């Protein structure tokens, strides 16, 4: 079987999705999980775009081993040098450089002739090759480019040293048979096509990103670029979990396979959704809440007789938890540590103590602690940025005949203050008093609550999105009490805003 490389661009193209921006610690958390998922390449960001982007890529390059770490660069000297600097510490690094090849992009956006674009592409690849052997070239808007010109650019960039040639359907315009045909034409017309891996990168404007990617694989593409949950610009990118599970479930048909550890898919999807605040629709293939739920009596009857009647893949194969009770209140530190290791978390002693303390508190409130609860504990306790505002105490009164009021005590820069406010409901009262105490000027864009596991004692998980001065952040909080979870989520978002402001100040002061 042919081995198809999976190039994950959740941290670059995925992050271009409105409201999905992440700080560098969050990116690192996702990159760690992508490494566990065993992706071949992680596109960690666009280093020249901002200081934050650069730092994010550099941190991932330094910390992550296994996948190749790629940095994106336009076909410009400063972009390539910046990308090279950011990825140079990686075990294996890649520079991914691009320029548009369609008439509309060349004439209207770049204002460059075909010859100038060709020259810039070749020069970019040659420059990038001075920093690393692993250079990828993308012909932006390839699917709307003149095929003969596209083939000339591909031939020249392979000759200049590109090892991977990426064919993006940048605006999600292509149709599967047409896109498959384009890849076949490239394979046949470009004399040195065999010297590079042909990659595809499809956007989902017509809902065809996965279908187009798979058609390309059938025509010989050896790399698919995609994102977790399909997040990305506009309608998003090809969804990795769908591409991977199609190749796995229909492996014989494609005569191709990936190296993805599919049991890590669900966890990765949840992590990306939690960190970006981009909720996964319930009927989303592979990872949606209903993806393996069988409602009709006829289906349930069939399943009881033989699962294969209505199940083409199992929930276990993508790591959907079976609500396994993993630990209880009598479990000790040693059992907790073993469970974390089994789940792929390697914590320092200090982190372990923090997480264990939180686990003990949760186990006192809840009879059974599931794997999903442990994920939530780790997200909350370990992957946290420095906190200016810490929740010390909260008491809320509400009911049918009382004015909802919230009393909140916060530690702000080490000093405790307590205050009280009324509101339209318990969450409103809590948010009003927190806003007053922190003097926040941000706007609440969205508020969502969901239960992590079943049952009335489940951990409630709250996600809020705040905006201030054009910057959007996502905050999360989890607790068995949803008002406490709401307060934590709001404070988490406020802490992220403070953190990003302090970083901007540090950069300006330098
Ligand atoms: O969609 C696109 O064309 C891109 C390129 C930069 C690869 O994201
Ligand atoms: Zn893209």
């Amino acid at each position: 079987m042919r081995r198809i490389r999976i190039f994950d661009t959740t941290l670059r193209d995925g992050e271009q999705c409105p409201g999905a921006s992440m700080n560098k610690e969050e990116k690192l958390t996702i990159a760690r999980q992508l490494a566990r998922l065993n992706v071949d390449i992680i596109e960690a960001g666009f280093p020249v775009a901002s200081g934050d982007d650069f730092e994010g890529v550099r941190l991932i390059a330094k910390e992550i081993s296994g996948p190749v770490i790629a940095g994106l660069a336009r076909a410009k000297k400063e972009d390539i040098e910046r990308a090279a600097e950011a990825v140079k510490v990686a075990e294996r690094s890649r520079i991914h450089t691009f320029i548009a090849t369609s008439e509309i992009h060349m004439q209207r956006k770049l204002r460059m002739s075909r010859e100038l674009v060709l020259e810039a592409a070749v020069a970019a690849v040659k420059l990038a090759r001075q920093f690393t052997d692993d250079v990828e070239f993308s012909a932006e808007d390839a699917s709307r480019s003149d095929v003969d010109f596209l083939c000339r650019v591909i031939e020249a960039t392979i000759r200049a040293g590109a090892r991977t040639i990426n064919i993006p359907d940048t605006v999600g315009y292509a149709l599967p048979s047409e896109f498959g045909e384009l890849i076949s034409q490239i394979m046949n017309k470009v004399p040195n096509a065999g010297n590079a891996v042909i990659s595809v990168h499809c956007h989902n404007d017509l809902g065809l990103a996965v279908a187009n990617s798979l058609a390309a694989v059938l025509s010989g593409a050896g790399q698919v670029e995609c994102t977790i949950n399909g997040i990305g610009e506009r309608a998003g990118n090809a969804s990795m979990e769908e591409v991977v599970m199609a190749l796995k479930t229909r492996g014989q048909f494609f005569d191709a396979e990936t190296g993805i550890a599919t049991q890590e898919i669900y966890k990765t999807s949840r992590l990306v959704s939690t960190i970006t605040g981009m909720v996964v629709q319930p009927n989303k293939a592979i990872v949606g809440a209903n993806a393996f739920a069988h409602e009709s009596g006829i289906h349930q009857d069939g399943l009881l007789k033989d699962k294969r009647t209505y199940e083409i893949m199992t929930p276990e194969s993508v790591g959907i938890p079976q609500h396994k009770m993993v630990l209880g209140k009598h479990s000790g530190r040693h059992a907790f540590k073993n469970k974390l290791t089994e789940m792929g978390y390697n914590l320092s002693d200090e982190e372990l103590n923090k997480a264990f303390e939180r686990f003990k508190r949760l186990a006192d409130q809840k009879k059974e602690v599931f794997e999903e609860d442990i994920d939530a504990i780790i997200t909350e306790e370990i992957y946290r940025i420095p906190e200016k505002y810490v929740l010390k105490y909260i008491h809320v009164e509400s009911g049918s005949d009382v004015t909802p009021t919230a009393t909140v005590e916060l530690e702000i820069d080490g000093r405790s203050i307590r205050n009280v406010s009324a509101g339209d409901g318990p969450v409103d009262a809590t948010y009003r008093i927190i806003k007053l105490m922190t003097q926040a000027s941000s706007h609440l864009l969205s508020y969502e609550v969901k239960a992590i596991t079943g049952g009335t004692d489940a951990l409630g998980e709250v996600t809020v999105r705040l905006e201030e001065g054009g910057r959007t952040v996502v905050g999360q909080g989890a607790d068995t009490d949803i008002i406490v979870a709401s307060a934590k989520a709001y404070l988490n978002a406020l802490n992220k805003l403070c953190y990003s402001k302090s970083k901007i100040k540090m950069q300006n002061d330098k």
Side-chain angles (χ1 to χ4, degrees):
M1 277 195 179
R2 271 190 324 129
R3 168 79 146 72
I4 307 299
R5 296 172 198 201
I6 295 295
F7 175 114
D8 180 274
T9 183
T10 307
L11 300 174
R12 198 277 298 170
D13 224 344
E15 207 213 8
Q16 285 173 222
C17 171
S21 65
M22 304 167 230
N23 61 41
K24 68 173 195 284
E25 290 78 8
E26 291 170 330
K27 286 185 181 173
L28 180 61
T29 303
I30 291 182
R32 286 208 170 101
Q33 181 57 28
L34 290 172
R36 271 183 224 125
L37 187 62
N38 207 27
V39 304
D40 297 286
I41 302 107
I42 296 177
E43 184 164 56
F46 190 7
V48 83
S50 71
D52 276 2
D53 259 74
F54 177 84
E55 290 302 335
V57 177
R58 196 162 59 170
L59 183 66
I60 290 168
K62 186 162 148 264
E63 296 290 326
I64 301 296
S65 52
V68 172
I69 307 300
L72 184 69
R74 287 167 300 181
K76 290 179 179 226
K77 186 168 181 284
E78 67 269 30
D79 283 38
I80 294 167
E81 286 173 352
R82 198 79 176 130
E85 184 62 28
V87 296
K88 77 173 183 203
V89 286
E91 233 174 48
R92 291 185 296 154
S93 64
R94 172 177 296 190
I95 297 176
H96 174 195
T97 183
F98 73 99
I99 192 164
T101 51
S102 65
E103 289 304 318
I104 176 98
H105 277 237
M106 290 188 294
Q107 283 174 23
R108 311 293 298 174
K109 182 184 83 175
L110 300 173
R111 297 186 196 282
M112 284 167 81
S113 66
R114 285 187 175 192
E115 293 317 308
L116 280 181
V117 164
L118 182 69
E119 262 173 41
V122 168
V125 170
K126 283 189 175 158
L127 176 61
R129 277 298 302 256
Q130 291 180 14
F131 300 103
T132 170
D133 288 346
D134 189 347
V135 172
E136 171 170 334
F137 171 75
S138 280
E140 192 190 10
D141 207 17
S143 55
R144 293 194 300 166
S145 302
D146 172 74
V147 179
D148 290 331
F149 176 61
L150 179 64
C151 289
R152 268 181 72 205
V153 175
I154 295 173
E155 185 184 346
T157 47
I158 295 177
R159 221 181 310 114
R163 283 196 178 165
T164 306
I165 296 292
N166 185 38
I167 310 298
D169 180 27
T170 302
V171 289
Y173 179 74
L175 302 175
S177 55
E178 184 189 43
F179 196 62
E181 177 55 29
L182 174 63
I183 302 302
S184 299
Q185 282 189 18
I186 291 169
M187 298 286 201
N188 294 330
K189 284 190 174 175
V190 177
N192 55 0
N195 296 345
V197 173
I198 302 297
S199 164
V200 289
H201 173 115
C202 298
H203 279 269
N204 205 30
D205 299 66
L206 293 174
L208 293 171
V210 171
N212 286 336
S213 306
L214 294 173
V217 168
L218 278 178
S219 296
Q223 173 178 290
V224 175
E225 302 197 355
C226 42
T227 60
I228 300 297
N229 300 335
I231 64 169
E233 286 266 0
R234 307 180 309 278
N237 290 59
S239 139
M240 178 201 294
E241 56 279 8
E242 293 177 24
V243 170
V244 166
M245 289 314 287
L247 290 174
K248 183 169 170 145
T249 310
R250 304 301 308 274
Q252 300 296 328
F253 178 78
F254 286 101
D255 195 21
E257 63 187 357
T258 71
I260 294 294
T262 60
Q263 327 78 265
E264 293 291 325
I265 284 180
Y266 182 74
K267 191 192 274 181
T268 318
S269 161
R270 261 195 54 80
L271 182 70
V272 169
S273 170
T274 307
I275 286 183
T276 60
M278 301 291 298
V279 176
V280 173
Q281 77 199 53
N283 59 330
K284 162 91 175 61
I286 319 295
V287 290
N290 296 347
F292 292 90
H294 299 272
E295 197 64 30
S296 104
I298 296 175
H299 288 201
Q300 287 176 355
D301 178 53
L303 279 166
L304 285 174
K305 289 175 177 148
D306 187 334
K307 285 198 165 185
R308 289 168 304 175
T309 51
Y310 287 101
E311 216 170 63
I312 58 165
M313 56 197 156
T314 62
E316 295 82 28
S317 67
V318 294
I320 293 187
Q322 304 302 297
H323 291 317
K324 269 190 288 173
M325 203 274 275
V326 291
L327 295 165
K329 70 190 237 180
H330 300 298
S331 309
R333 200 170 179 281
H334 193 64
F336 182 67
K337 187 175 176 192
N338 283 347
K339 186 70 214 170
L340 289 179
T341 313
E342 191 191 307
M343 289 174 69
Y345 294 114
N346 286 316
L347 305 189
S348 67
D349 281 351
E350 196 191 325
E351 288 171 338
L352 180 67
N353 288 344
K354 234 167 131 187
F356 184 61
E357 223 177 82
R358 176 76 193 278
F359 157 73
K360 275 296 192 194
R361 268 187 275 131
L362 182 65
D364 277 341
Q365 290 167 330
K366 222 171 164 274
K367 280 198 299 291
E368 302 164 324
V369 177
F370 302 110
E371 284 194 355
E372 301 93 301
D373 296 322
I374 294 186
D375 285 332
I377 290 179
I378 300 298
T379 308
E380 275 226 336
E381 296 295 327
I382 309 302
Y383 302 140
R384 281 265 145 144
I385 45 141
E387 293 185 314
K388 178 177 168 77
Y389 309 116
V390 182
L391 181 69
K392 297 309 273 184
Y393 168 88
I394 176 164
H395 176 86
V396 172
E397 275 178 25
S398 71
S400 53
D401 284 331
V402 286
T403 305
T405 51
T407 308
V408 170
E409 183 175 320
L410 295 183
E411 192 179 286
I412 303 182
D413 289 332
R415 213 166 53 85
S416 281
I417 50 168
R418 188 179 280 217
N419 215 329
V420 61
S421 170
D424 286 338
V427 176
D428 184 54
T430 304
Y431 278 27
R432 275 175 197 249
I433 193 59
I434 291 179
K435 191 167 170 71
L436 186 82
M437 290 163 84
T438 57
Q439 295 173 1
S441 52
S442 47
H443 305 285
L444 184 66
L445 298 180
S446 63
Y447 168 89
E448 274 156 42
V449 59
K450 69 172 193 238
I452 295 184
T453 51
T456 48
D457 67 349
L459 269 188
E461 189 180 61
V462 174
T463 305
V464 298
R465 189 175 267 122
L466 298 186
E467 187 273 333
E468 189 181 312
R471 182 173 287 263
T472 306
V473 289
V474 173
Q476 294 100 27
D479 201 279
T480 46
D481 181 323
I482 59 160
I483 307 298
V484 177
S486 302
K488 285 181 176 176
Y490 191 29
L491 289 167
N492 180 229
L494 291 173
N495 280 323
K496 282 188 186 173
L497 274 175
C498 285
Y499 183 58
S500 63
K501 278 193 256 173
S502 70
K503 279 198 307 181
I504 292 169
K505 187 171 175 311
M506 265 162 56
Q507 272 165 14
N508 291 343
D509 290 350
K510 265 189 204 160

